[in-house]
Amino acid sequence: MKKIPALIILSLFFGATMLMGLPHAQAQKKEEPPPNNQSQKELFEAKCQKCHSLERIKEAHLTRDTAKEVVERMRKKAGADISPTDAESIYRYLGDYFIIPPPQPNPPVPMH
């Protein structure tokens, strides 16, 4: 009978420890791309930052819709040297690090 309370305490401790680490892991996402995104970052820097500063890209306040349009428009510019595959990788990178989230809908107002 004494093993069950110890098991419950251990489970609660482990669960709390895991949850405490989540906010830190999520906060790191925007700071440094994970290793598998390194090629997307390099592609973004090589193709986009040759004409645009990082600040200009941040200040564009891109949404998912506008980002795809902008990347496609830039891809078609002379000298851009951005293939359709490159454009998709750049778009995914922008989505992970630069695209602003869509506005949240207002909650319905209760009717009395």
Side-chain angles (χ1 to χ4, degrees), residues 80-106:
D81 190 33
I82 300 172
S83 71
T85 303
D86 290 347
E88 188 61 34
S89 291
I90 291 168
Y91 174 70
R92 281 195 306 269
Y93 182 77
L94 286 172
D96 288 344
Y97 299 100
F98 293 98
I99 291 179
I100 60 172
Q104 297 298 317
N106 291 332

Side-chain angles (χ1 to χ4, degrees), residues 20-109:
M20 288 173 56
L22 287 177
H24 177 69
Q26 289 173 346
Q28 280 186 324
K29 181 184 177 201
K30 298 291 180 183
E31 294 173 13
E32 186 61 35
N36 61 354
N37 257 4
Q38 192 62 32
S39 62
Q40 287 178 348
K41 179 184 179 196
E42 291 168 359
L43 180 67
F44 168 78
E45 290 171 347
K47 303 293 183 174
C48 301
Q49 286 187 280
K50 72 180 182 182
C51 297
H52 306 291
S53 71
L54 184 59
E55 285 305 311
R56 178 172 175 160
I57 295 165
K58 285 180 183 178
E59 290 171 0
H61 303 292
L62 299 171
T63 64
R64 292 224 176 261
D65 293 334
T66 59
K68 199 156 196 116
E69 293 169 7
V70 167
V71 170
E72 190 59 26
R73 190 175 70 237
M74 294 299 123
R75 186 181 82 73
K76 293 177 180 177
K77 289 196 177 260
D81 190 33
I82 300 172
S83 71
T85 303
D86 290 347
E88 188 61 34
S89 291
I90 291 168
Y91 174 70
R92 281 195 306 269
Y93 182 77
L94 286 172
D96 288 344
Y97 299 100
F98 293 98
I99 291 179
I100 60 172
Q104 297 298 317
N106 291 332
V109 177

Side-chain angles (χ1 to χ4, degrees), residues 1-16:
M1 292 295 256
K2 290 187 179 186
K3 287 184 181 181
I4 293 175
L7 183 59
I8 292 171
I9 291 171
L10 183 61
S11 296
L12 289 173
F13 176 76
F14 180 72

